[in-house]
Amino acid sequence: MTPVIAAHGLTKRFGELVAVDGIDFEVAPGESFGLLGPNGAGKSTTMRMVGAVSTRSGGELRVLDLDPETHGPEIRSQLGVVPQEDNLDTELTVRDNLLVYGRYFGLPRRVCAERADELLEFAQLTEKAKVKTDDLSGGMKRRLTIARALINDPRILMLDEPTTGLDPQARHVLWDRLFRLKERGTTLVVTTHYMDEAEQLCDRLVVVDHGRIMAEGSPAELIRRYSTREVVELRFGSSRNAEAAERMAGVTERVEVLPDRVLLYADDGEAVVEKVLALGLEPTTSLVRRSSLEDVFLRLTGRSLIE
């Protein structure tokens, strides 16, 4: 199948700053594709180029088999965009937000009305149709923003940090709506800081850092490639963690010291705990958990805060 998005050597410069540094990736029709990376990694810049609102500095980019620099309006007419911050019209009602936005795409009033009603039901907002947007909760506003992005029946839905600031219940409701879109065959392109969200939503993803792709694959593939089956978290106290880690150096292949705990990466966490106890070490707390995408992300991009 022809990819709906194909980037080869894609580059974006802002003066001396190289925000996107020659990346290659493709997105298949109906795929849920994720862009992961710390702040300043180049995720949002890449999304703007794909969305045909920012020109590239180099490389090739095709969206829906069109060049965004020469066919911007045609591409944008087939995209749905959910920005990082909700930009709803707070003076309008929930339903009117959908109707007005649909008219921007040149849709007839009757079509806008039909789609608005369908999308209100999809977003579980039918009972709020006549309520002013400013009176909605954060989760409801986020669902309305997604519903609005679907008014033109887009082939690609682009979501930039879709659940930032939402409580767990609202996040799960939103995930359910996105799962339904995947089942309908809508292509999703997602940036997120939540690793559990990437594991839940993405069929495949790339980890980006300093404008370059560090790794690519499904969440399960990346965990197998860059981590172990399990991770043991041990706490000895901030003043003793480093010393304890030195004594555990031969217990498993990889040991990582953090300010508040020591991480040991292994395929059998319980066996590692037994070895630690056999050394005469007594952690104040111990936890054996499965390895996650967050372990992969931090290994590839580091733990230092990037501003």
Side-chain angles (χ1 to χ4, degrees):
M1 293 183 292
T2 301
V4 292
I5 303 172
H8 301 287
L10 183 62
T11 302
K12 180 66 177 182
R13 298 183 184 88
F14 297 98
E16 296 298 318
L17 174 66
V18 181
V20 178
D21 193 2
I23 63 174
D24 301 328
F25 67 90
E26 293 185 350
V27 181
E31 185 176 30
S32 182
F33 181 80
L35 282 163
L36 273 65
N39 291 333
K43 306 185 304 297
S44 295
T45 301
T46 300
M47 291 279 272
R48 287 194 291 271
M49 288 189 285
V50 171
V53 294
S54 177
T55 58
R56 62 187 182 273
S57 303
E60 299 178 3
L61 178 63
R62 304 286 291 182
V63 180
L64 300 172
D65 207 25
L66 299 171
D67 186 335
E69 294 193 10
T70 56
H71 294 81
E74 294 95 322
I75 291 172
R76 289 191 292 271
S77 70
Q78 300 181 74
L79 298 181
V81 178
V82 179
Q84 195 169 133
E85 300 289 338
D86 294 324
N87 56 357
L88 301 165
D89 192 324
T90 56
E91 294 300 313
L92 297 179
T93 66
V94 168
R95 191 170 187 270
D96 284 346
N97 261 274
L98 300 179
L99 295 175
V100 171
Y101 198 68
R103 294 294 288 165
Y104 289 146
F105 289 94
L107 299 175
R109 295 181 186 277
R110 179 183 58 80
V111 173
C112 286
E114 291 174 356
R115 290 188 182 174
D117 292 337
E118 292 172 0
L119 290 169
L120 287 174
E121 183 177 355
F122 170 79
Q124 297 180 323
L125 291 171
T126 300
E127 294 181 358
K128 301 290 184 179
K130 297 181 180 179
V131 173
K132 279 197 173 183
T133 306
D134 213 22
D135 296 329
L136 298 179
S137 68
M140 290 178 179
K141 288 179 180 177
R142 208 63 181 141
R143 297 206 303 274
L144 178 57
T145 302
I146 290 176
R148 188 188 63 176
L150 296 169
I151 194 72
N152 60 321
D153 193 21
R155 292 177 60 186
I156 303 173
L157 181 63
M158 303 175 64
L159 303 110
D160 195 2
E161 306 291 344
T163 64
T164 294
L166 299 186
D167 60 41
Q169 291 84 356
R171 289 179 71 207
H172 281 275
V173 171
L174 200 58
W175 287 355
D176 176 68
R177 300 299 97 180
L178 295 176
F179 277 127
R180 291 170 185 254
L181 288 175
K182 283 179 60 178
E183 291 176 344
R184 295 181 184 181
T186 302
T187 301
L188 305 181
V189 180
V190 184
T191 72
T192 180
H193 284 119
Y194 296 121
M195 299 301 109
D196 58 339
E197 182 163 272
E199 287 193 61
Q200 289 281 342
L201 294 179
C202 298
D203 303 317
R204 190 168 54 88
L205 53 89
V206 294
V207 179
V208 183
D209 194 19
H210 294 97
R212 297 180 179 179
I213 292 178
M214 310 297 291
E216 179 178 354
S218 70
E221 288 171 347
L222 292 176
I223 291 171
R224 285 195 299 269
R225 193 182 311 157
Y226 293 101
S227 192
T228 52
R229 191 168 67 88
E230 294 182 337
V231 180
V232 180
E233 298 190 2
L234 303 177
R235 285 181 166 85
F236 297 91
S238 57
S239 62
R240 297 180 56 226
N241 283 335
E243 177 188 348
E246 288 183 7
R247 293 180 60 184
M248 295 184 293
V251 170
T252 188
E253 187 174 321
R254 184 176 164 218
V255 179
E256 186 176 6
V257 183
L258 303 183
D260 62 332
R261 62 195 187 278
V262 181
L263 304 183
L264 295 92
Y265 295 83
D267 289 327
D268 187 343
E270 294 295 343
V272 166
V273 173
E274 291 179 6
K275 291 180 181 179
V276 170
L277 296 176
L279 291 173
L281 293 169
E282 296 183 2
T284 55
T285 65
S286 63
L287 170 68
V288 177
R289 60 172 175 81
R290 76 175 184 90
S291 192
S292 70
L293 194 58
E294 184 166 326
D295 296 305
V296 174
F297 180 82
L298 291 172
R299 182 172 187 180
L300 292 171
T301 65
R303 293 181 180 272
S304 61
L305 184 64
I306 298 175
E307 296 292 353

